[in-house]
Amino acid sequence: MEGLKKSILASLWFMFLTLPIMGVFVNTIDKSVTWHLDRVLCVGVAAFVLSFLWRYMLEQKDKGRQEEEASSVEKVTFFNKLISSPKFYWPALVGVAVFAIAFPKLFSMYQVNVMTTALIYVVLGLGLNIVVGLAGLLDLGFVAFYAVGAYSYALMNMYWGISFWVALPLGALLGAICGILLGFPVLRLRGDYLAIVTLGFGEIIRLVLENWGSFTNGPAGISNIARPEFFGFAKGFLAQINFMYYLMLVLVIFTIFVVNRLKNSRIGRAWQALREDEIACQAMGIDKMKTKLMAFSLGATWAGMVGVVFAAKTTFINPASFTFLESAIILSIVVLGGMGSILGVILGALVLILLPEYMREFSEYRMLIFGAVMVLVMVFRPQGLVRDVRKKIDISAVKKALGGAHE
Amino acid sequence: MEYFLELFFSGLTRGSIYALIALGYTMVYGIIELINFAHGEIYMIGAFVGLVVAGVLSSFGFPAASIVILATIAAVIYAASYGYTIEKIAYRPLRGAPRLSPLISAIGMSIFLQNYVMLSQTSDFLSFPSLIPEFGFLKNYESMIGSTDFLIIAVAAIVMVGLNLFIKFTRMGKAMRATAQNRKMAMLVGINVDQVISATFVIGSALAAIGGVLIASHIGQINFFIGFIAGIKAFTAAVLGGIGSVPGAMLGGLILGWTESFCTGYVSSDYEDVFAFALLVLILIFRPSGLLGKAPIQKV
């Protein structure tokens, strides 16, 4: 009964809230007013139903938290079970590998192109995952490094005719340098200040690209960027698209390999310590400065490298591809997938990039859903799709090995 | 000299608006240490509600003077309601979560609200009716300061004085200061912290809506994206003055307004936004606590 009353109130409240924005449209040119009260009614009904769901979910979350606290055992999700047992792990990996290699043979050129884009976001997500997921530094201007990579190839190609294969490491290097340049002054800042500085930096880069017309062609962008040469292999348009796909696939595997190695290395563990508690981390003798710089520049390296690939793939770039929204999309890939988890980020990128692509009529609402999902995930499932499982050391076994010296 | 004064007054107008919006950021940050990313969107929603209400009222043939007042009141009420709802949905369930979580939730909320307005209204620019009537006085300065500029500066000044008095002397104001200083202690002495936080969001949003209606009427057009840039700039103003400090937000707004106005006037108008962002980056690097802010104590 109590719940019903609350839901009716919520429904009325949301109808009130949406009335002027959704219910009325004022045409300011011919001064006519169109009413859409049906939309407001829909909102009311939806709010009524959803408010039940909302309360139920919040209750479940509270219950879950209490249980977890009581039993002190972390819940293991389906995905974690899947990746932790070799019985599932190897066949799944082989299956994915075969599918990935055969992909261009099975599907049309359009699909291959879409998949290449998704793979670009996988690498971007993994790069940002180093900064946000592992080191806990919220970077809202990640797309700036992506832009640095893309523009460095486009400009070098335009002015000096530098080829793709030379530009690829150069783009990565320039990304890393920019990461260090930005990282150096902002290291002292705490979480949310850092977020704002990086956002400001990203916007500055975009605005400069847009306004420095004599050098970057301004908002018109740079077209006719050369596609990569595959040492005489790929002649013709179709073959080039397929090769682009394979190139991205190699890059993804390379990224996964490196990030995975990094995660459990000394620096990777330092990042995770930094994420958990900065002061305690410093007290353990970790050089905060160096650790943060490494995270920033390594993340930026991937973005710079993928930027080069992006410029070569689309053969046209302009500043509109590098807005804050793009940064937000990459961030939501990391957050929704599960911060710190490599598998999570890959799944997040595939879901977020492929779903809107295959649901065309849906795509208008894409950003609306993005925003809503970001809020909902934070409220109900802060750890994302796949929870990052950390390596644990069994302390009792260590004690036994030490011969119970502490008894 | 003429040109200088013109820039000075245009900077003052801009600065007053930034200060109005910055107050919302600074109050929320002072109390729950959250950068309310959706605050710029509240300002944008305030402007849209003002536009819609003014349009509907004028189609019913209301007199101009009542339209100004009713549209502003509606904008304030709606912005406050949105602020209250956002806090309840996106931030309250996240109390006690790691610091990044509410920030990401706030970004999500901001993207959601932008697209919500874009899809239900349009993505085009809508022309905002000039609500503020042109009145002729200050004849000698007319080329430098119009009636809208004058009204914006006056309203901003009145609102700020009112807010300062509110925070200093009322019960709720005292509760806010207590909560900002130490939330747990405030709870222990019987302050309803949830209520205080809601009140902070409501007041901050109402101020942003006043700013929204004023600037929309001044510039003459709005679209769903105006909140983003204005929000970032108001945030810059808040940081510049020292986030968490109410007089700091006002000072920061004015300084930012003048910086922008003089830089675009004397250097180049292409890089208007770059100056604001560059100022933000520089302040955060060299004086993260702002001009009037206190340096945060690191708690171990």
Side-chain angles (χ1 to χ4, degrees):
Chain A
M1 214 42 223
E2 185 66 16
L4 197 66
K5 211 173 104 189
K6 270 188 185 163
S7 289
I8 290 173
L9 276 179
S11 156
L12 288 176
W13 178 249
F14 276 97
M15 276 162 77
F16 163 73
L17 279 185
T18 49
L19 177 67
I21 304 288
M22 284 177 86
V24 193
F25 180 73
V26 177
N27 190 329
T28 46
I29 296 160
D30 56 15
K31 297 217 166 16
S32 64
V33 177
T34 340
W35 295 85
H36 297 284
L37 291 181
D38 49 324
R39 290 198 209 159
V40 179
L41 212 65
C42 289
V43 168
V45 174
F48 182 75
V49 176
L50 288 177
S51 73
F52 277 106
L53 198 66
W54 177 264
R55 276 199 306 277
Y56 174 75
M57 298 275 279
L58 274 183
E59 269 167 31
Q60 286 294 309
K61 188 189 155 200
D62 272 353
K63 218 186 271 172
R65 193 193 287 153
Q66 273 163 10
E67 268 172 22
E68 204 161 298
E69 271 167 17
S71 62
S72 79
V73 178
E74 274 190 55
K75 262 192 221 158
V76 183
T77 58
F78 172 71
F79 278 121
N80 291 135
K81 251 185 237 160
L82 202 71
I83 51 172
S84 57
S85 112
K87 220 194 256 174
F88 291 104
Y89 181 69
W90 284 108
L93 200 66
V94 170
V96 169
V98 169
F99 178 73
I101 291 168
F103 193 83
K105 296 270 174 291
L106 299 174
F107 295 95
S108 70
M109 196 174 83
Y110 166 74
Q111 312 281 1
V112 176
N113 228 340
V114 169
M115 201 48 159
T116 313
T117 309
L119 291 180
I120 284 179
Y121 279 91
V122 168
V123 177
L124 282 174
L126 286 171
L128 186 62
N129 186 37
I130 295 176
V131 187
V132 179
L134 293 181
L137 307 166
L138 187 53
D139 183 355
L140 293 181
F142 192 65
V143 84
F145 304 123
Y146 186 42
V148 165
Y151 264 90
S152 63
Y153 173 48
L155 291 171
M156 285 194 292
N157 188 264
M158 189 166 78
Y159 288 119
W160 302 327
I162 277 180
S163 82
F164 175 81
W165 295 106
V166 181
L168 195 64
L170 275 180
L173 189 70
L174 280 171
I177 290 171
C178 283
I180 291 173
L181 283 181
L182 170 67
F184 207 68
V186 301
L187 286 174
R188 295 185 297 140
L189 301 172
R190 286 183 305 145
D192 24 17
Y193 283 113
L194 182 79
I196 297 294
V197 168
T198 48
L199 191 153
F201 178 76
E203 286 295 295
I204 289 175
I205 293 245
R206 188 180 61 80
L207 288 166
V208 168
L209 288 176
E210 212 165 275
N211 288 307
W212 196 0
S214 55
F215 181 57
T216 64
N217 273 357
I222 300 170
S223 51
N224 288 328
I225 302 165
R227 286 171 181 279
E229 298 259 338
F230 289 100
F231 309 109
F233 275 123
K235 295 265 159 58
F237 190 57
L238 181 68
Q240 269 182 340
I241 282 185
N242 285 349
F243 267 88
M244 211 67 207
Y245 168 79
Y246 284 120
L247 175 74
M248 258 338 280
L249 203 62
V250 171
L251 209 57
V252 166
I253 293 167
F254 177 59
T255 314
I256 295 173
F257 176 74
V258 173
V259 173
N260 197 24
R261 298 291 296 190
L262 274 175
K263 199 174 150 188
N264 294 320
S265 70
R266 181 172 273 267
I267 186 83
R269 277 177 288 134
W271 286 334
Q272 290 169 52
L274 195 74
R275 176 185 69 186
E276 297 305 326
D277 193 328
E278 216 165 275
I279 295 168
C281 168
Q282 248 178 322
M284 295 293 291
I286 293 169
D287 187 346
K288 203 169 82 176
M289 200 77 166
K290 212 174 85 187
T291 317
K292 281 190 181 177
L293 262 188
M294 278 288 272
F296 244 90
S297 55
L298 269 172
T301 308
W302 297 113
M305 196 149 72
V306 184
V308 174
V309 178
F310 172 73
K313 175 182 172 280
T314 53
T315 70
F316 166 74
I317 52 169
N318 69 348
S321 313
F322 308 106
T323 55
F324 169 69
L325 223 58
E326 202 72 12
S327 283
I329 292 175
I330 304 169
L331 179 69
S332 55
I333 285 172
V334 176
V335 172
L336 298 185
M339 281 199 254
S341 154
I342 293 174
L343 181 68
V345 171
I346 296 169
L347 284 176
L350 293 181
V351 168
L352 281 186
I353 303 303
L354 294 182
L355 265 191
E357 203 61 53
Y358 290 124
M359 286 195 252
R360 272 286 163 201
E361 64 271 38
F362 204 56
S363 66
E364 201 180 318
Y365 298 96
R366 185 171 80 156
M367 291 315 292
L368 187 82
I369 294 169
F370 256 11
V373 166
M374 265 166 99
V375 175
L376 290 177
V377 166
M378 278 299 120
V379 172
F380 294 115
R381 207 180 154 75
Q383 70 272 33
L385 282 175
V386 183
R387 183 189 260 187
D388 183 32
V389 185
R390 281 205 249 153
K391 264 197 177 160
K392 280 190 185 138
I393 295 168
D394 191 357
I395 294 181
S396 60
V398 176
K399 268 189 188 162
K400 212 181 266 173
L402 288 173
H406 289 292
E407 295 319 314
Chain B
M1 194 60 198
E2 186 93 338
Y3 189 52
F4 176 84
L5 274 180
E6 203 179 310
L7 292 178
F8 178 84
F9 280 117
S10 97
L12 191 62
T13 314
R14 278 167 190 244
S16 312
I17 297 290
Y18 291 150
L20 272 181
I21 311 170
L23 286 171
Y25 278 113
T26 224
M27 285 166 72
V28 167
Y29 194 88
I31 288 190
I32 54 174
E33 300 213 329
L34 162 75
I35 295 174
N36 181 12
F37 243 96
H39 192 64
E41 270 57 59
I42 299 274
Y43 149 89
M44 178 265 293
I45 283 176
F48 264 97
V49 171
L51 171 91
V52 165
V53 171
V56 170
L57 290 182
S58 69
S59 80
F60 285 133
F62 275 70
S66 64
I67 289 178
V68 182
I69 296 166
L70 289 176
T72 312
I73 290 175
V76 166
I77 290 174
Y78 267 99
S81 314
Y82 269 95
Y84 173 79
T85 314
I86 289 167
E87 193 270 327
K88 220 165 171 191
I89 290 179
Y91 305 145
R92 189 168 294 182
L94 289 171
R95 298 265 169 82
R99 280 181 79 96
L100 281 190
S101 307
L103 191 60
I104 289 169
S105 171
I107 295 169
M109 207 67 212
S110 154
I111 295 175
F112 177 84
L113 288 176
Q114 270 178 27
N115 284 275
Y116 154 71
V117 173
M118 185 192 84
L119 292 170
S120 27
Q121 297 283 322
T122 64
S123 54
D124 304 330
F125 272 96
L126 294 172
S127 61
F128 199 89
S130 51
L131 290 176
I132 305 167
E134 289 293 328
F135 43 88
F137 72 111
L138 288 172
K139 281 272 182 289
N140 300 331
Y141 296 94
E142 205 139 276
S143 63
M144 289 171 253
I145 176 168
S147 59
T148 45
D149 294 275
F150 183 77
L151 201 74
I152 286 173
I153 297 165
V155 167
I158 292 169
V159 165
M160 283 171 204
V161 171
L163 182 71
N164 267 327
L165 292 177
F166 175 83
I167 290 177
K168 259 212 173 107
F169 294 115
T170 59
R171 244 181 116 74
M172 184 48 98
K174 279 178 194 165
M176 277 177 178
R177 278 185 293 152
T179 313
Q181 224 161 46
N182 191 332
R183 202 194 303 171
K184 262 194 196 130
M185 268 319 197
M187 237 186 263
L188 282 178
V189 297
I191 292 170
N192 186 345
V193 171
D194 278 342
Q195 216 174 38
V196 171
I197 293 172
S198 289
T200 312
F201 271 86
V202 165
I203 294 172
S205 307
L207 297 181
I210 297 176
V213 173
L214 286 177
I215 193 81
S217 164
H218 181 55
I219 292 176
Q221 55 177 5
I222 55 174
N223 86 337
F224 75 100
F225 205 62
I226 57 168
F228 177 68
I229 291 288
I232 300 275
K233 286 190 182 166
F235 180 78
T236 309
V239 172
L240 178 57
I243 197 154
S245 143
V246 170
M250 304 172 191
L251 181 69
L254 291 181
I255 292 178
L256 181 68
W258 279 320
T259 310
E260 263 190 33
S261 153
F262 285 125
C263 282
T264 48
Y266 287 121
V267 186
S268 153
S269 60
D270 284 348
Y271 291 98
E272 186 190 326
D273 292 344
V274 175
F275 293 123
F277 289 124
L279 189 65
L280 172 74
V281 172
L282 287 177
I283 296 154
L284 280 176
I285 290 168
F286 291 112
R287 198 176 156 76
S289 53
L291 295 174
L292 300 184
K294 283 169 267 164
I297 304 156
Q298 278 200 332
K299 288 173 195 161
V300 183

